[in-house]
Amino acid sequence: MYIRDSLIEMLKDAESYSEHDWQKLIANFLLLIFPKYICVIENVPVKDYYTNPEKTINRAIDLALVDVNGNIDIIEVKKPFENALIYSRKYRDNYVPKRELSGAVVQVEKYLFHLGKSGAAGEKRIQDKYSKELPTGINIRITNPKGIVIVGRDTGLNEQQKFDFEIIKRKYANIMDVLTYDDLLRRLENIIAKYSV
């Protein structure tokens, strides 16, 4: 309950916390809400050879989740802005994604692209950097990783907006999941309810 209560308290004054603060909080309970993973690692290095062909750019992925076989998936954490998901006005009778959501999705797609291109050298780089944090016998594998974007709040959406937002989320479901902070809170509430009986 402590983690849920911390999340609720931080959401009351969301603007006063940095993206790094949110990343730290979320890292504390990811293994609880995603039990297939056994380890969370932060600021995962990935090299970008494509943005500027003359210079390799070092990037850092917010969080990565490692499963029991060493496969990693990535998480991009954004701040829980109230109006970060979809526009309140319709475009051709549809609610469309806002720049914050679209930008986060593209960012994760690029991270997945660069991670996939890093191959064995990328696996070794991550393995070497996090060898002390990884459970014994776990070797990092980059095997078609999936992404998770944590962004915004969905409590203020009307039913039509929620419907259109669900369509947007499902559009990307083959490569990433889009979760709101309210999704995280609901998952925590369900876990607490399940074990409080």
Side-chain angles (χ1 to χ4, degrees):
M1 288 192 216
Y2 170 76
I3 292 171
R4 179 210 47 200
D5 295 343
S6 296
L7 179 57
I8 289 169
E9 282 305 308
M10 285 178 71
L11 285 171
K12 287 179 183 175
D13 190 21
E15 294 296 320
S16 67
Y17 296 98
S18 70
E19 206 167 270
H20 183 71
D21 293 331
W22 291 107
Q23 179 180 321
K24 284 285 192 195
L25 174 73
I26 289 167
N28 287 326
F29 63 85
L30 286 171
L31 300 182
L32 179 65
I33 62 174
F34 298 116
K36 84 175 219 174
Y37 300 103
I38 59 169
C39 183
V40 179
I41 52 179
E42 299 181 48
N43 300 314
V44 178
V46 65
K47 293 194 178 290
D48 173 355
Y49 298 103
Y50 296 87
T51 300
N52 182 349
E54 297 174 14
K55 179 183 174 189
T56 300
I57 301 170
N58 294 313
R59 306 228 182 250
I61 298 166
D62 288 348
L63 301 168
L65 296 168
V66 183
D67 72 14
V68 73
N69 296 313
N71 298 301
I72 66 171
D73 292 320
I74 67 170
I75 299 181
E76 179 62 26
V77 177
K78 297 298 182 190
K79 290 177 78 171
F81 294 121
E82 290 282 340
N83 299 311
L85 303 176
I86 55 177
Y87 285 100
S88 57
R89 301 177 101 181
K90 292 182 178 181
Y91 172 77
R92 297 190 176 193
D93 207 31
N94 300 296
Y95 291 104
V96 297
K98 282 194 164 182
R99 184 170 61 182
E100 179 77 12
L101 175 57
S102 296
V105 165
V106 170
Q107 185 177 4
V108 169
E109 285 181 305
K110 279 190 167 182
Y111 284 156
L112 292 170
F113 172 80
H114 296 307
L115 200 56
K117 292 286 188 182
S118 69
E123 291 174 343
K124 184 176 182 336
R125 190 168 35 256
I126 296 168
Q127 183 79 36
D128 291 347
K129 182 172 180 179
Y130 297 100
S131 60
K132 292 178 182 166
E133 295 175 45
L134 295 169
T136 304
I138 295 293
N139 294 311
I140 292 295
R141 295 174 188 218
I142 300 171
T143 313
N144 199 20
K146 192 171 180 181
I148 298 172
V149 176
I150 300 173
V151 60
R153 305 285 310 269
D154 63 29
T155 53
L157 302 180
N158 65 38
E159 289 307 309
Q160 185 62 50
Q161 287 172 317
K162 287 179 183 176
F163 180 78
D164 287 1
F165 180 52
E166 187 62 30
I167 289 172
I168 293 164
K169 286 170 36 174
R170 289 175 180 269
K171 173 185 175 188
Y172 299 109
N174 63 325
I175 54 169
M176 76 183 75
D177 291 321
V178 177
L179 300 174
T180 67
Y181 282 80
D182 299 299
D183 286 328
L184 296 179
L185 192 53
R186 286 188 289 268
R187 287 176 187 227
L188 287 171
E189 294 283 1
N190 288 337
I191 290 167
I192 291 168
K194 179 179 178 180
Y195 292 106
S196 297
V197 178

